[in-house]
C-alpha cells in the first residue's frame, strides 16, 4: 500500500487548509493510500515523528494558508529543519496547496515556487500544486461555497487525480479555476467588504481616525 | 523615517546600510531580527475581535511595531530561503497586518489592501552567496507581489558575494 503524508501548515486546526487536507486524505484513501495528516504548529517543537512518516511515504502534500503572498514563516522553519534531516528525503513526490484571501493566483503562487526550489535542492520530486483564492472567506466551508465553486471543484478534483497517480499537476489547472471578473466587480467587492469592516468597527466603538494601540506606546520605553 | 529590519548576513548588509544612511544624516532606525523573538501569527482573529489593532500575544513585536508604525520606508534585509524570506524576517512580516489598514482598494483592475502603518515604500534586500537556478526571479516576484498588495511603491535587490558593493550603492542612492 502506498503511503502519503499531508502536512497542515496552518496554525488553525479547523479552517480552509484543514478542509482541503481532509478532502485530499479522503480521496487518497479511496485510491488505496495509507494517509496521515500532520498538523505543524502543535508539533513544531518535536518534528521527529513527522520526519519518520516522511521517510516512509512516497508522497508529501503541504497544505497551507497564504500570509502576505506566501506560506507563513513556520513553513520556512519546517523546510530548514527538513534540510538538516535530509536523510529522510529520497526522491519522494512533493505537492503543495496554498489558499488565501485574494482571488488571484499570482498573489499566492510564490508559496508553490518556494516548495519547488526546496525540492530542487533537497532530493525531492516537485510535482506541482494548486492555488485557491478567497480561501479565507471560506473559513473551512466546502469549495462549492466559493463564487467560482463549480470551476474550482472541477479543477481541484483533477489535481487530486494527479496527486493519487503521482503525476505532475500543471499550473494550468489552478489558472483555469481562477475567478475572472471585470474590474468593476472588484470595485463593488471592495465597497461591500469595506462596509462590513466599518460596520464591525462601529459596533466595537472604534472611531475612523482612532490611533492604533501600538502608536500610543511610548517609543522611548520600547 | 527609514526602518531597517535586518536578519543576520555574512556581509553585515543591514549594519553597513544603517551606518551609510546615518552618515548621510538620514533618520534611520535599525532593528536586528536575529536577536529578537516574535511568535507566529496564529490567525486567531484576536487583533480584530479582542484587542483591535494589537496582537493578543506578547512578544518582541511590541518593541517593533511602535517604531514601524511611524516609519515611511521599511527596508528588509533577509537571507533568502528558497526564493522567500528567512524564518525570523517572515515571522515579523506575517504579523505586520496588525498595524495595517483593513480596507480594500482597487488598483489596476484588481483588489489590493491598504498600507501598513504609514509605510509608503518597501525595499527588500535578499542576500545569498549561491542562488539556485531561477531563485532570484522567484524572490523578485514575491517582493513585487508584496508591494502590489500593500498598494505602495518599492523595489527588490538580489545580493550575492560578487555584486554586494554595487547593490549597496544602488540601495543608498534609492533611499537618499
Amino acid at each position: 500500500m502506498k503511503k502519503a503524508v499531508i502536512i497542515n501548515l496552518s496554525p488553525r486546526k479547523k479552517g480552509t487548509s484543514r478542509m482541503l487536507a481532509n478532502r485530499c486524505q479522503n480521496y487518497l484513501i479511496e485510491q488505496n493510500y495509507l494517509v496521515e495528516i500532520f498538523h505543524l504548529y502543535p508539533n513544531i517543537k518535536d518534528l521527529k515523528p513527522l520526519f519518520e512518516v516522511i521517510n516512509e511515504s512516497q508522497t508529501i502534500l503541504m497544505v497551507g494558508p497564504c500570509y502576505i503572498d506566501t506560506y507563513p514563516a513556520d513553513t520556512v522553519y519546517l523546510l530548514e529543519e527538513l534540510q538538516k534531516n535530509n536523510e529522510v528525503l529520497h526522491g519522494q513526490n512533493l505537492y503543495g496547496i496554498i489558499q488565501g484571501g485574494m482571488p488571484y493566483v499570482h498573489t499566492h503562487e510564490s508559496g508553490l515556487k518556494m516548495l519547488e526550489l526546496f525540492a530542487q535542492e533537497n532530493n525531492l520530486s516537485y510535482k506541482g500544486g494548486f492555488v485557491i483564492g478567497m480561501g479565507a472567506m471560506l473559513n473551512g466551508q466546502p469549495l462549492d461555497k466559493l463564487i467560482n465553486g463549480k470551476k474550482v471543484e472541477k479543477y481541484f478534483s483533477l489535481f487530486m487525480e494527479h496527486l493519487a497517480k503521482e503525476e505532475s499537476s500543471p499550473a494550468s489547472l489552478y489558472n483555469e479555476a481562477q475567478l475572472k471578473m471585470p474590474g468593476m466587480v472588484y470595485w463593488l467587492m471592495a465597497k461591500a467588504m469595506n462596509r462590513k469592516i466599518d460596520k464591525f468597527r462601529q459596533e466595537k466603538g472604534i472611531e475612523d481616525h482612532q490611533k492604533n494601540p501600538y502608536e500610543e506606546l511610548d517609543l522611548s520605553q520600547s | 523615517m527609514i526602518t531597517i529590519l535586518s536578519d543576520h548576513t555574512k556581509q553585515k548588509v543591514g549594519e553597513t546600510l544603517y551606518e551609510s544612511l546615518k552618515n548621510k544624516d538620514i533618520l534611520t532606525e535599525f532593528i536586528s531580527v536575529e536577536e529578537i523573538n516574535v511568535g507566529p501569527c496564529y490567525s486567531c482573529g484576536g487583533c480584530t475581535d479582542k484587542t483591535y489593532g494589537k496582537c493578543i500575544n506578547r512578544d518582541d513585536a511590541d518593541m517593533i511595531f511602535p517604531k514601524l508604525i511611524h516609519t515611511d520606508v521599511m527596508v528588509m534585509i533577509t537571507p533568502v530561503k528558497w526564493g522567500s524570506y528567512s524564518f525570523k524576517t517572515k515571522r515579523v512580516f506575517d504579523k505586520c497586518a496588525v498595524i495595517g489598514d483593513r480596507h480594500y482598494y482597487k488598483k489596476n483592475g484588481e483588489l489590493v489592501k491598504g498600507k501598513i502603518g504609514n509605510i509608503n515604500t518597501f525595499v527588500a534586500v535578499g542576500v545569498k552567496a549561491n542562488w539556485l537556478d531561477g531563485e532570484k526571479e522567484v524572490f523578485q516576484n514575491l517582493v513585487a507581489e508584496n508591494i502590489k498588495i500593500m498598494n505602495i511603491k518599492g523595489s527588490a535587490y538580489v545580493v550575492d558575494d560578487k555584486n554586494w558593493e554595487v547593490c549597496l550603492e544602488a540601495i543608498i542612492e534609492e533611499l537618499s
Side-chain angles (χ1 to χ4, degrees), chain A residues 144-187:
Chain A
D144 61 11
K145 300 282 180 196
L146 287 169
I147 305 171
N148 55 338
K150 219 171 163 184
K151 249 191 344 180
V152 176
E153 272 290 349
K154 177 183 162 189
Y155 290 107
F156 189 69
S157 298
L158 291 172
F159 165 75
M160 288 196 297
E161 278 179 31
H162 290 307
L163 171 71
K165 290 178 185 165
E166 301 178 68
E167 296 169 346
S168 290
S169 183
S172 56
L173 292 185
Y174 57 78
N175 278 308
E176 284 295 325
Q178 184 181 209
L179 182 71
K180 292 173 188 95
M181 299 277 217
M184 177 58 90
V185 178
Y186 290 123
W187 181 78

Side-chain angles (χ1 to χ4, degrees), chain B residues 20-33:
Chain B
S20 305
L21 294 172
K22 229 172 50 171
N23 291 342
K24 284 180 169 280
D25 291 328
I26 297 168
L27 187 59
T28 308
E29 181 86 48
F30 179 84
I31 300 168
S32 167
V33 299

Side-chain angles (χ1 to χ4, degrees), chain A residues 67-74 80 83 104 106 114 121 183 186 194 197-198 201 204 206 212-214 219, chain B residues 41 43 48-49 52-53 55 66 69 81-82 87 90-91 94 99 102-104 106 109-111 145-146:
Chain A
Y67 281 16
I68 192 135
D69 306 307
T70 185
Y71 289 114
D74 294 61
E80 284 175 341
Q83 190 170 49
Y104 320 106
H106 65 75
M114 177 170 74
E121 199 181 38
Y186 290 123
N194 291 344
I197 291 165
D198 292 337
R201 285 164 57 109
K204 288 261 172 189
I206 300 157
N212 182 286
Y214 291 105
L219 281 179
Chain B
C41 168
S43 252
T48 301
D49 297 329
Y52 195 88
C55 182
I69 208 161
K81 300 287 176 168
W82 306 290
F87 166 59
K90 188 69 171 40
R91 272 272 181 98
D94 283 354
I99 56 166
R102 309 282 174 111
H103 293 92
Y104 291 85
K106 199 193 102 185
E110 291 194 348
L111 285 174
E145 289 296 335
N146 297 153

Side-chain angles (χ1 to χ4, degrees), chain A residues 41-101:
Chain A
Y41 283 72
N43 296 292
I44 204 143
K45 285 187 179 155
D46 181 16
L47 293 169
K48 224 173 156 188
L50 171 65
F51 296 159
E52 282 168 17
V53 180
I54 284 175
N55 191 31
E56 294 161 2
S57 299
Q58 286 83 50
T59 296
I60 305 160
L61 170 63
M62 296 194 182
V63 189
C66 187
Y67 281 16
I68 192 135
D69 306 307
T70 185
Y71 289 114
D74 294 61
T75 305
V76 178
Y77 176 77
L78 167 66
L79 298 182
E80 284 175 341
E81 291 301 302
L82 255 177
Q83 190 170 49
K84 284 182 204 159
N85 294 273
N86 61 7
E87 66 279 359
V88 300
L89 306 176
H90 41 78
Q92 294 100 319
N93 308 304
L94 176 64
Y95 295 85
I97 299 174
I98 186 163
Q99 55 84 19

